[in-house]
Amino acid sequence: MRLPRPLSGPNDPPYAFSFSGLKTAAARWVEAQRATGTEPHVPDAAAALQEAIADTLTRKAVRACTDHGIDTLVVVGVVAANSRIRTLTEQRCTAAGITLRVPALRLCTDSGAMIAAIGDLLARAGARPAPADLSVDPSAPLEYAALTPTARPSGRAA
């Protein structure tokens, strides 16, 4: 089974990706299998889905690097824990002459958990919360970020 590669056409944005169509293609494949009286083989379907995602993410990331003269690619978060993405990214970076940086597997955790940890550090440092009417724009560029935690008391007498 081979699933389509989303947003991979000649007129599609070169670095954009969306997996909603991929999920639909996988669902249609399952429906077609069941319509013929065949129960889908879940491991094959999962492998095909993983391959389509890994191929799309790594191809577009390496293309962005080569198109913009970037010589180092950093892969982090829970996506960096996926062994196929790690392997394919390493192969493609090596072929393109790009240095790949990936943290140790034990440090590749869920992005939400990492954001919550930073929020905890900010709260402990006395940062004021954002206003309740703050709008959220997940595509807004991150231009500046700072975290200055307060020093912990040493517990020693002066």
Side-chain angles (χ1 to χ4, degrees):
M1 167 185 181
R2 186 179 197 286
L3 291 171
R5 296 333 191 228
L7 294 176
S8 296
N11 297 322
D12 290 326
Y15 317 120
F17 56 90
S18 168
F19 298 121
S20 61
L22 181 60
K23 293 183 288 187
T24 301
R28 297 296 171 261
W29 178 82
V30 168
E31 291 169 0
Q33 292 289 303
R34 289 184 174 153
T36 65
T38 305
E39 192 58 30
H41 190 245
V42 174
D44 288 346
L49 190 61
Q50 174 181 255
E51 190 61 26
I53 292 169
D55 179 38
T56 301
L57 288 176
T58 60
R59 187 173 21 83
K60 288 183 177 240
V62 170
R63 178 176 178 185
C65 289
T66 57
D67 287 357
H68 295 281
I70 297 169
D71 63 1
T72 302
L73 176 62
V74 180
V75 180
V76 297
V78 73
V79 72
N82 181 282
S83 62
R84 181 61 183 146
I85 289 174
R86 290 172 86 99
T87 299
L88 194 53
T89 307
E90 183 177 356
Q91 291 169 353
R92 289 183 169 167
C93 283
T94 297
I98 297 169
T99 301
L100 175 63
R101 299 281 185 234
V102 183
L105 192 57
R106 66 182 179 79
L107 299 175
C108 298
T109 186
D110 178 67
S111 300
M114 292 189 294
I115 291 167
I118 290 172
D120 177 63
L121 289 173
L122 285 167
R124 289 173 192 242
R128 294 177 42 213
D133 63 347
L134 177 70
S135 65
V136 177
D137 180 2
S139 63
L142 178 62
E143 296 176 7
Y144 176 76
L147 177 62
T148 311
T150 57
R152 290 186 177 165
S154 65
R156 292 185 224 156

